[in-house]
Amino acid sequence: MTSPVGLHRVVEPAGVLPQAAWRLDPDPRIAANEVRIRVERLNLDAASFRQLAEKHGGNGDKVRAEVLEIVSTRGKMQNPVTGSGGMLIGTVEEAGRRSPLGLRAGDRVATLVSLTLTPLAITDGLARWDGRSEQVPCDGHAILFARSIAAVLPPDLHPELSLAVLDVCGAPALTARVVAEQVARRSRDGDPRPVSVAVIGGAGKSGSLSLAAARRAGAARTVGVVPVVAERDALAAAGLADVVALADARDPVGLSTAVTTALGVPADVTVVCVDVPGCEHGAVLATADGGTVIFFSMATSFAAAALGAEGLAADVTMLVGNGYVPGHAALALDLLRSEPGVRGLFEARLAAD
């Protein structure tokens, strides 16, 4: 049997996993433990799309051309600058008889693994995409391995909405886990202090879901931090945070001051959901001793985070959000359905795109 993690699809360099490979083989012929998806839409991750858009000055034609070049050259969508990719939705064309994913031909699915490790071929030249949004309508095929993850799209939600939610579903799931653990620990220790949570980038996709998840998990007070007035007003109207604060996440002192002023104390849990570099030190500075910082942005420099915490003598636990927590898809979709504020922000974002 071929490798369950896709080693047989690695073209170069030899001996690495698909995510670390420079090039994958997207041959549509599947092994017995693989699944082939007819691709309908890609969702580029925010850091990757921002980098491409800024590089080309917002020129959609040039962005489209570079995405096509990346996929054709690498056999996958992995931005060579940010190292990130995104995810996709499509329809199962064929499932190998030994595939453990439980998918059948005709299932409409969203992949819950990164495009950086998914063999991909595009056949329509991205003719229906203007290069100006993260969601990319396209035709092509992708390959899932035995160790891949996919979710059948729910019939009650528009596919574009499902794709936007599932693209970031790891963030609210890990946030909920960390917050619930902090709440349980304080209860067990007889510590009466409430758990406070700061979400940097609270008006975005992962940020809004993380705020809702934190509150559901028992956070007593939450603050959503945003960089501009329009996002402040939108997040305040959504009602997902107890306080909404304006701050540039790249300004460590300004960010820390905004969080501490909003909460009255540094945050017990700080969740970083922004897609720009340079937010590491502010997140550490805004977090209480003994607290936790969760980095979800692919723009994060983990060396800067570690060295910054050391330099600040900050006793904080730092977690890398890896995008997978058991039950993450179901949790995120439930938050979308049950939290009007979350759904409103997502639908407004899709309408703007």
Side-chain angles (χ1 to χ4, degrees):
M1 183 182 295
T2 49
S3 167
V5 296
L7 290 173
H8 57 289
R9 292 278 182 173
V10 173
V11 177
E12 60 175 310
V16 302
L17 292 172
Q19 195 280 331
W22 176 253
R23 185 158 61 99
L24 300 180
D25 177 9
D27 190 324
R29 295 172 295 181
I30 63 170
N33 62 351
E34 293 181 323
V35 173
R36 185 176 69 254
I37 306 294
R38 173 58 57 183
V39 180
E40 300 174 17
R41 186 174 291 266
L42 309 178
N43 193 107
L44 303 183
D45 86 278
S48 176
F49 179 73
R50 176 189 287 270
Q51 185 275 325
L52 291 168
E54 290 179 349
K55 173 182 177 180
H56 296 295
N59 186 313
D61 291 339
K62 291 183 178 179
V63 172
R64 182 174 61 243
E66 181 159 356
V67 170
L68 280 170
E69 180 182 5
I70 291 170
V71 175
S72 63
T73 300
R74 306 196 64 176
K76 59 177 179 174
M77 178 55 212
Q78 184 173 26
N79 185 317
V81 175
T82 64
S84 53
M87 59 176 293
L88 63 84
I89 60 172
T91 302
V92 175
E93 284 191 322
E94 184 181 1
R97 67 184 185 280
R98 295 180 180 174
S99 170
L101 303 186
L103 301 176
R104 298 178 297 178
D107 285 343
R108 294 193 74 197
V109 299
T111 60
L112 302 180
V113 290
S114 175
L115 292 176
T116 63
L117 54 83
T118 304
L120 173 68
I122 292 173
T123 57
D124 68 346
L126 301 180
R128 293 174 290 141
W129 184 46
D130 63 5
R132 299 180 184 275
S133 66
E134 296 172 8
Q135 292 210 5
V136 184
C138 66
D139 190 27
H141 72 265
I143 306 297
L144 299 183
F145 311 132
R147 287 286 296 272
S148 298
I149 316 167
V152 176
L153 291 173
D156 63 316
L157 298 176
H158 193 282
E160 291 184 27
L161 185 56
S162 295
L163 178 59
V165 173
L166 294 173
D167 179 46
V168 294
C169 63
L174 184 55
T175 298
R177 174 190 284 180
V178 171
V179 172
E181 288 173 349
Q182 288 245 14
V183 171
R185 185 181 307 114
R186 290 191 176 178
S187 175
R188 185 175 61 248
D189 295 344
D191 185 342
R193 292 177 301 157
V195 172
S196 60
V197 176
V199 177
I200 317 304
K205 294 189 299 181
S206 59
S208 58
L209 283 166
S210 295
L211 281 167
R215 180 177 287 173
R216 180 181 291 189
R221 192 159 176 78
T222 59
V223 56
V225 182
V226 296
V228 295
V229 171
E231 289 191 9
R232 181 194 64 188
D233 294 345
L235 185 55
L240 297 174
D242 296 303
V243 185
V244 180
L246 269 177
D248 185 338
R250 298 166 296 184
D251 175 2
V253 175
L255 176 61
S256 174
T257 300
V259 169
T260 303
T261 300
L263 295 174
V265 292
D268 297 303
V269 178
T270 300
V271 187
V272 183
C273 296
V274 292
D275 58 0
V276 295
C279 304
E280 301 85 6
H281 295 172
V284 171
L285 200 58
T287 306
D289 281 348
T292 301
V293 184
I294 310 173
F295 292 105
F296 281 106
S297 170
M298 290 296 101
T300 300
S301 166
F302 300 107
L307 294 173
E310 177 187 51
L312 292 166
D315 178 21
V316 296
T317 298
M318 295 185 290
L319 301 178
V320 179
N322 72 354
Y324 176 70
V325 176
H328 61 338
L331 172 65
L333 292 170
D334 182 59
L335 288 170
L336 180 81
R337 294 186 181 103
S338 61
E339 296 285 349
V342 171
R343 186 160 189 158
L345 288 173
F346 269 80
E347 290 178 339
R349 184 185 184 96
L350 288 173
D353 287 344

